[in-house]
Amino acid sequence: MKIDIVTLFPEMLTGYLGQSILKRAQEAELLTIDLHNIRDYAAGKHQITDEPPYGGGGGMVLKPEPLFAAVDAIRSQDDQTKSEKVILMTPQGRPFTQAIAKDLSECERLIFICGRYEGVDERVRQHLVTEEISIGDYVLTGGELGAMVVVDAVTRLLPGALGAEGAAETDSHATGLLEGPHYTRPNQFRGHLVPEVLKSGHAANIKRWHREQALRRTWQRRPEMLLSAELTEDDRRFLATLAHESAAELTGNDNN
Ligand code: ADE
């Protein structure tokens, strides 16, 4: 996969992109990430990248020419037939989810445009960008953090990016449920023990325990996710016992 990030502040991204799984994925040539400074594509002696909005209203708007020029230059570098998405990071975009990450991980090239200031000229949205993504309902000073969030989530899904093959498949959200708890050594920490079942060596029981913990955590924290999760008969029975237990707690009656 080829990832290009168009930004006014490339240095903001270099640290994060050069560490850990992102670093290893690039070394293993699973992906190449190039950073492009918008200013390098701005014309004139002053290389102006932003100007006040037509009609007033305050703030500054990123000009269209340098953004179109940057994307043209990126495209001219390699194969035009690559499946591509041009993504504008903006609080007005589609809320980012694991399903979108999966979709993007199947593209050959992703070009991210990091907005700044009041935003970008509308012609960029209309005629350059194919997707607009938001990482949440809050406003950041620019799209750089958002681009890193999306690149990180997409990279983990590239085959071979995580050490243990398939590890991403049990992640929170990948299964439609939140992940349950994990434990490691020591067995006893400040008097708190690791659940017996995890030390039993009984693979089927351990698998069921993990599934039930995931169901329990999702039920407690994000119950709406259960409406669209794929559930087995066993899962439904377990959820019914949870509902039963909590009803009993509420009424203070454990015979119910
Ligand atoms: N730029 C500013 N705020 C943002 C957000 N919430 N998501 C993506 N890009 C942004």
Side-chain angles (χ1 to χ4, degrees):
M1 170 179 283
K2 176 79 196 306
I3 293 182
D4 292 280
I5 306 178
V6 178
T7 164
L8 277 172
F9 300 100
E11 300 79 21
M12 282 186 172
L13 299 119
T14 44
Y16 194 81
L17 299 175
Q19 301 284 321
S20 182
I21 286 173
L22 285 164
K23 178 183 180 195
R24 271 189 272 128
Q26 290 170 83
E27 284 169 355
E29 295 180 10
L30 302 178
L31 85 161
T32 307
I33 305 177
D34 282 336
L35 303 174
H36 306 267
N37 193 329
I38 299 172
R39 198 162 297 283
D40 294 340
Y41 297 93
K45 194 168 103 197
H46 299 294
Q47 295 186 292
I48 292 169
T49 55
D50 55 293
E51 297 212 51
Y54 272 112
M60 297 293 267
V61 175
L62 283 177
K63 290 163 69 60
E65 307 95 307
L67 296 175
F68 276 79
V71 172
D72 284 349
I74 290 164
R75 285 184 177 143
S76 71
Q77 280 170 357
D78 64 353
D79 184 1
Q80 299 298 301
T81 63
K82 277 190 172 168
S83 62
E84 164 194 287
K85 290 208 160 50
V86 182
I87 303 161
L88 177 67
M89 298 308 303
T90 161
Q92 296 150 40
R94 191 152 62 113
F96 187 53
T97 61
Q98 190 68 23
I100 298 176
K102 180 88 185 81
D103 218 35
L104 297 180
S105 74
E106 281 152 21
C107 287
E108 291 167 294
R109 176 167 54 215
L110 301 177
I111 302 175
F112 289 88
I113 297 178
C114 304
R116 277 264 146 188
Y117 314 120
E118 279 309 294
V120 300
D121 186 283
E122 188 62 16
R123 288 160 292 189
V124 173
R125 289 180 195 279
Q126 288 173 339
H127 307 294
L128 186 62
V129 158
T130 61
E131 320 268 320
E132 296 182 39
I133 295 180
S134 164
I135 61 161
D137 288 343
Y138 39 78
V139 180
L140 302 165
T141 51
E144 286 77 9
L145 282 171
M148 285 194 281
V149 166
V150 176
V151 169
D152 185 301
V154 166
T155 302
R156 329 181 54 259
L157 297 175
L158 298 178
L162 300 182
E165 198 66 54
E169 282 151 31
T170 57
D171 282 347
S172 287
H173 300 288
T175 58
L177 299 176
L178 299 181
E179 244 185 303
H182 298 287
Y183 291 89
T184 186
R185 278 192 279 269
N187 174 39
Q188 189 174 158
F189 175 69
R190 298 189 176 180
H192 306 292
L193 285 165
V194 172
E196 280 306 318
V197 60
L198 296 178
K199 297 174 284 177
S200 67
H202 192 301
N205 287 355
I206 293 172
K207 191 167 173 219
R208 190 66 216 155
W209 183 86
H210 279 302
R211 181 77 184 170
E212 290 183 355
Q213 293 297 317
L215 289 164
R216 183 187 292 274
R217 190 156 280 186
T218 310
W219 189 73
Q220 288 168 336
R221 299 183 183 184
R222 297 285 304 275
E224 82 286 359
M225 287 173 66
L226 294 170
L227 296 173
S228 49
E230 262 181 51
L231 301 173
T232 65
E233 274 310 306
D234 280 350
D235 293 340
R236 289 182 196 284
R237 264 194 294 277
F238 180 72
L239 288 168
T241 63
L242 289 182
H244 204 73
E245 275 170 28
S246 94
E249 261 169 45
L250 279 174
T251 57
N253 178 354
D254 46 19
N255 294 327
N256 274 335

